[in-house]
Amino acid sequence: MKRQDFYFDLPKELIAQDPLTDRSDSKLLVLNKSTGEITHNKFYKITQYLQKGDCLVLNNTKVIPARLIGERVSETEPEKTGAKVELLLLKRRENNIWEVLVKPGKKARPGMIIQFGNGLLTAKILEVVEEGNRLVQFFYQGIFEEILDKLGQMPLPPYITHELKDRNRYQTVYAKYEGSAAAPTAGLHFTEELLEEIKTMGVTIATVTLHVGLGTFRPVKEENILDHHMHTEHYQILEKEAEKINTTKRNKGRIICVGTTSCRTVEAAADESGIVQAGSGDTNIFIYPGYQFRVLDCLITNFHLPESTLLMLVSALAGREQVLEAYREAVKEKYRFFSFGDAMFIV
């Protein structure tokens, strides 16, 4: 299977730069994976496609302000600061040790010191790890999360060209556990009122946690997609949440994952018979056409980048040709694409 098989042409003006004022007012494209039929609606009317006995699976991870801009400090002359350095926090390894992406990366050698907020926070590069990322150790006084909240910026994707005015718009309304370098964006369409309406219908809501890393969004560079290496991401599923999903399956209800991150979590945590196991772990599951889903029945998702692993996952569920046809229809109807864009419901 070739990377180019998942290419589509997208006019630049359809890349959403800002979230809508009302989260649930986005467009909704509904794709029937069995027939290929496409219908258009609004997201707040998603209840029309849900039914009693369904289980909606949400990823309750919370994005941290993971982008830090600092200055390189001379080890011999601490008062002399150098060029600007940007760190992007990817994954916490231990208390004060993080895996990060450094820009510019070529000069980021072990031993290098970077200072943030006039010394409020200092980082020392320890070693180079996979994909050229670095392990760094942070030094500070006080509580790391509070310092990060003060100094850090939201790590918006590179196709969003300006800073977000309200940080909360890059969080879901149900975000709970901090640790993501990117938002599970399919969940951004839900309001608390809409979730209450869905619960009232008799739909079970289950939560899982997968801390989203930037590897998920990296374009596939290899010509043969099977040569692509997925980064690991940490997940956790509580016993009571696994039971909600498993009970729904036993009762022949539909498992509807909100976003590719929820999908990858339940699929990674399921055994051979499709029973979701509670617990925590790391996953680098890569879902592409030919994959047999063990848990998921339906998917609520955004529109993804060409040639991305996310587009491949969606194609595994609904078929590559049908998905690309739906994308062509979305372009024609001027849907908004990517993180702050419109939604798709594959039923």
Side-chain angles (χ1 to χ4, degrees), residues 24-43:
S24 64
D25 199 38
S26 50
K27 290 182 182 179
L28 178 67
L29 184 149
V30 182
L31 172 62
N32 186 308
K33 62 180 183 290
S34 300
T35 65
E37 182 188 0
I38 293 169
T39 52
H40 301 283
N41 215 323
K42 285 285 198 173
F43 194 85

Side-chain angles (χ1 to χ4, degrees), residues 30-81:
V30 182
L31 172 62
N32 186 308
K33 62 180 183 290
S34 300
T35 65
E37 182 188 0
I38 293 169
T39 52
H40 301 283
N41 215 323
K42 285 285 198 173
F43 194 85
Y44 61 80
K45 293 183 178 177
I46 199 165
T47 49
Q48 294 177 9
Y49 308 97
L50 301 175
Q51 53 204 41
K52 186 177 180 179
D54 286 342
C55 178
L56 204 62
V57 183
L58 311 176
N59 179 10
N60 61 9
T61 188
K62 194 169 187 179
V63 187
I64 58 174
R67 187 168 174 252
L68 288 163
I69 311 289
E71 291 182 318
R72 181 177 177 178
V73 178
S74 167
E75 290 174 87
T76 52
E77 300 173 272
E79 73 281 357
K80 289 189 180 178
T81 57

Side-chain angles (χ1 to χ4, degrees), residues 218-232:
R218 280 192 176 138
V220 177
K221 294 178 181 175
E222 293 78 7
E223 190 174 333
N224 182 347
I225 69 166
L226 301 184
D227 295 331
H228 178 69
H229 168 68
M230 291 284 282
H231 285 254
T232 59

